[in-house]
Amino acid sequence: MPRMDLSAARQAKKDEFYTQLGDIAKELKYYKPYFKDKVVFCNSDDPYESNFFKYFALNFNAFGLKKLIATCYNGSPIAGDELPLLFEATEEEPKKIAYKVEITEVADYNGDGAINLADVQYLIQNDKNVLSLLKGNGDFRSQECIELLKEADIVVTNPPFSLFREYLSLLDKYNKQFLVIGNTNALTYKETFRMFQQDKIRTGYTNFNVGMFFQVPDDWEKYHHLENGKKMARVSTSCWFTNLPVSKHNEELILYKHYTSEEYPKYDNYDAINVNTYTDIPCDYDGVMGVPITFLDKYNPEQFEIIDINPHFFALVEQGMPKPKQLSLNSVGQKDPYARILIRKKQTIANNEREKE
């Protein structure tokens, strides 16, 4: 079974991974209270294909949204000069355009006695105020999309993997709440890591190590299975990132193991001990510890302080110092092949401050 990698996709500029409706519903159910009376912006989402748009259209009233906005890059299928058949495929040769959809209310527009996607489709096809063409190509970095971003309260989408750094930096610049899908390797990006240090980002509720299945284009050769005639690929290196509250990051890790120099060797080139898994963090060690990046999925900023990250050591580089090599455990015949987050217990920090007094 071929393995899909978001890093490889990013390098190859293959950004067409379409999130399944079930995965969106599985994560979004935890955040319902934070969406009431909010403007939601899906700024990488063609409503013709996006399950993010469909999810919020279906749950517009249940979430108590004020407005739903979606913009797409110029790849939307349009049959002739007609409006898009939003939830149906078309066999016509599509034109490539960029447009936005803005919805401020969802009701029984088609009079069939139910409120569902058919009403949203009816609304878009019959109300000129709902759908409009964009002047540019719909790139989330374009000025007209940035103006919509300024209006929004919360951004929810699966942004282009190849542009994740830029995307996250834009959300941070405009101080927006967000819930987005990204590569787990983004945990070690300088921009993302700094946001973790500042408690401006955290992982979501969906299991960090499970991965997700995405629909991929028909011309992709690598995929796992067909589902309703669509190619599906499992991406193991995928997770949710958000700055909305996530309860698991308020829970303290229960530390039960005790420190021994044999089990927790010190690095040769940094004053810290190596901890192989976050569950092995010792309860009685006061110094700096190197833990796997998966620690960030359990990180409680009230319990731990994030000091730095190896092998990057961004702070040292910014101070003009040479970029250090990987953390080394040569004294015990090992080398750390993975990135390590350097952390320290905050209780230790507080105790040290009291002792100084």
Side-chain angles (χ1 to χ4, degrees):
M1 182 178 291
R3 177 181 176 183
M4 303 302 297
D5 188 340
L6 297 194
S7 295
R10 174 174 55 83
Q11 293 169 7
K13 303 292 186 182
K14 290 185 176 181
D15 292 327
E16 295 177 272
F17 286 78
Y18 300 106
T19 314
Q20 294 190 93
L21 192 61
D23 286 328
I24 296 170
K26 181 181 177 182
E27 181 72 22
L28 266 291
K29 67 181 180 182
Y30 295 102
Y31 306 91
K32 183 178 176 181
Y34 304 108
F35 282 88
K36 184 173 176 55
D37 298 322
K38 297 296 178 64
V39 177
V40 173
F41 187 20
C42 304
N43 61 348
S44 298
D45 297 86
D46 180 355
Y48 185 86
E49 298 172 314
S50 168
N51 282 322
F52 283 96
F53 179 82
K54 293 179 186 179
Y55 178 83
F56 283 113
L58 277 169
N59 292 281
F60 190 96
N61 295 327
F63 274 58
L65 299 184
K66 180 180 180 181
K67 182 188 287 189
L68 171 61
I69 308 172
T71 56
C72 69
Y73 196 71
N74 59 356
S76 173
I78 298 292
D81 294 324
E82 298 176 1
L83 294 177
L85 298 175
L86 189 58
F87 303 110
E88 298 176 5
T90 174
E91 296 181 359
E92 299 279 353
E93 182 67 24
K95 292 181 178 179
K96 292 197 171 184
I97 66 164
Y99 66 93
K100 71 174 179 179
V101 172
E102 294 191 9
I103 295 176
T104 56
E105 183 181 8
V106 176
D108 183 16
Y109 296 111
N110 62 4
D112 66 355
I115 300 176
N116 51 34
L117 291 178
D119 294 298
V120 179
Q121 178 179 334
Y122 181 91
L123 175 66
I124 292 175
Q125 292 180 330
N126 291 276
D127 190 333
K128 294 181 180 179
N129 295 319
V130 172
L131 182 145
S132 60
L133 298 181
L134 294 173
K135 296 177 181 178
N137 62 5
D139 191 305
F140 67 85
R141 298 164 294 185
S142 66
Q143 191 56 47
E144 60 182 333
C145 287
I146 288 176
E147 291 304 315
L148 293 171
L149 178 65
K150 292 178 181 178
E151 178 187 353
D153 297 303
I154 307 176
V155 179
V156 187
T157 190
N158 179 358
F161 298 139
S162 65
L163 300 172
F164 190 80
R165 294 171 191 259
E166 289 184 70
Y167 187 86
L168 204 58
S169 294
L170 190 69
L171 297 183
D172 187 39
K173 176 181 178 180
Y174 289 99
N175 196 30
K176 293 299 173 181
Q177 292 185 310
F178 59 85
L179 180 60
V180 299
I181 293 174
N183 185 349
T184 54
N185 290 328
L187 294 165
T188 62
Y189 295 169
K190 177 178 178 178
E191 298 83 354
T192 315
F193 181 75
R194 285 291 182 239
M195 292 177 70
F196 269 99
Q197 279 189 304
Q198 299 163 10
D199 194 24
K200 296 168 70 174
I201 192 173
R202 55 196 63 93
T203 57
Y205 286 93
T206 301
N207 193 307
F208 186 78
N209 293 315
V210 169
M212 289 179 262
F213 278 94
F214 297 85
Q215 181 186 329
V216 295
D218 294 336
D219 61 353
W220 278 50
E221 296 181 1
K222 290 185 177 181
Y223 63 97
H224 291 87
H225 65 270
L226 292 173
E227 191 171 306
N228 299 321
K230 302 293 185 180
K231 290 183 177 180
M232 305 297 296
R234 179 178 177 270
V235 182
S236 58
T237 55
S238 57
C239 69
W240 292 86
F241 293 93
T242 187
N243 56 1
L244 294 169
V246 178
S247 61
K248 69 180 181 181
H249 292 291
N250 296 325
E251 300 170 359
E252 286 202 0
L253 284 177
I254 298 175
L255 309 178
Y256 64 93
K257 296 200 69 171
H258 292 275
Y259 168 77
T260 65
S261 58
E262 294 77 22
E263 187 174 1
Y264 300 98
K266 277 199 170 186
Y267 299 112
D268 302 319
N269 56 350
Y270 194 86
D271 186 16
I273 62 170
N274 181 67
V275 181
N276 286 322
T277 69
Y278 71 86
T279 56
D280 288 342
I281 294 174
C283 62
D284 53 355
Y285 187 77
D286 294 334
V288 179
M289 299 170 280
V291 295
I293 61 171
T294 50
F295 163 83
L296 292 177
D297 192 45
K298 307 295 181 182
Y299 169 53
N300 177 350
E302 296 299 318
Q303 185 180 13
F304 295 97
E305 175 193 23
I306 295 176
I307 307 232
D308 217 319
I309 185 171
N310 164 271
H312 305 283
F313 287 98
F314 301 127
L316 297 178
V317 175
E318 288 169 357
Q319 294 168 13
M321 299 176 67
K323 188 174 183 179
K325 297 179 181 179
Q326 281 186 302
L327 292 171
S328 172
L329 292 172
N330 286 334
S331 59
V332 290
Q334 299 180 35
K335 268 198 172 180
D336 176 19
Y338 304 108
R340 285 290 188 264
I341 306 293
L342 297 168
I343 65 168
R344 182 169 51 189
K345 295 198 296 289
K346 277 197 169 178
Q347 183 178 3
T348 300
I349 299 169
N351 289 340
N352 289 342
E353 292 299 321
R354 283 195 292 269
E355 287 177 5
K356 290 178 182 179
E357 295 176 357

